[in-house]
Amino acid sequence: MDDTSSINGATIVFYEGTYAVVTADHFIRSDLIAMLYDEDWNYIKTVELQDDAQWSMGSEYNDGLIYIAYHKGPHEYGDVYVDIYDTEWDLQETIEVTDVGERVEDDILFAQHPWLDIDGDKMFVIYTIGREKILKDSLERTLTCMLSVYEKK
């Protein structure tokens, strides 16, 4: 997939005869994009979705809407969001899944690695909450898997 610049940490969703590979365009300062392909994997176009976002590791097409889970903010810290798009990639809603706050100099809290699943009227978003504490001679890192559940409107 060399049709446009992209990195790892992607997801794929199939809707109405189109494959959308949702990823970031660069590794350090990245924007979330959707690279669109037809059923035979012919490149259609790239759609820009979000500034300063990456790790779109969860997606689903459900009831005519496309759900994308992603991390927004610098790689060292940031939050998890879910965007809901129509099939023309017009943003319908953004859900802020986490709000870890601002980075503190020696105590960093972050949310990453989002995934989602929709079952009936519920959307399940699973993600990692991490904390890094900078100690005198080392770095202490803890990671916790979290789950948030949302009722469809």
Side-chain angles (χ1 to χ4, degrees):
M1 296 185 166
D2 57 0
D3 302 298
T4 191
S5 175
S6 62
I7 66 166
N8 59 341
T11 189
I12 187 169
V13 61
F14 184 76
Y15 66 97
E16 299 180 359
T18 302
Y19 290 100
V21 178
V22 181
T23 186
D25 58 356
H26 296 95
F27 189 75
I28 300 299
R29 173 61 176 93
S30 51
D31 296 329
L32 198 64
I33 59 172
M35 299 181 298
L36 307 182
Y37 298 86
D38 68 17
E39 290 184 73
D40 295 320
W41 287 98
N42 296 305
Y43 176 74
I44 300 170
K45 67 179 179 177
T46 296
V47 180
E48 294 181 18
L49 303 178
Q50 285 286 343
D51 293 336
D52 192 25
Q54 63 277 329
W55 301 113
S56 53
M57 298 167 61
S59 64
E60 189 158 332
Y61 176 64
N62 185 279
D63 292 335
L65 296 171
I66 302 164
Y67 295 75
I68 306 293
Y70 62 95
H71 170 266
K72 187 168 180 71
H75 287 301
E76 298 84 22
Y77 58 101
D79 283 295
V80 168
Y81 294 83
V82 173
D83 281 355
I84 304 170
Y85 296 90
D86 64 17
T87 57
E88 298 298 316
W89 292 96
D90 295 316
L91 182 62
Q92 304 298 301
E93 183 179 356
T94 296
I95 300 168
E96 183 179 34
V97 177
T98 65
D99 183 11
V100 297
E102 293 295 316
R103 177 181 179 166
V104 178
E105 189 171 314
D106 62 348
D107 190 5
I108 304 164
L109 192 61
F110 57 89
Q112 296 179 337
H113 314 119
W115 188 262
L116 67 82
D117 185 51
I118 297 172
D119 185 17
D121 288 338
K122 293 186 179 176
M123 177 175 67
F124 301 89
V125 182
I126 197 163
Y127 50 94
T128 302
I129 292 287
R131 169 170 256 138
E132 290 183 348
K133 288 187 177 188
I134 301 170
L135 307 173
K136 183 177 179 181
D137 296 322
S138 65
L139 176 70
E140 179 182 280
R141 179 179 237 195
T142 58
L143 299 172
T144 304
C145 186
M146 303 294 290
L147 170 69
S148 294
V149 181
Y150 298 87
E151 296 269 344
K152 286 175 68 178
K153 296 178 183 179

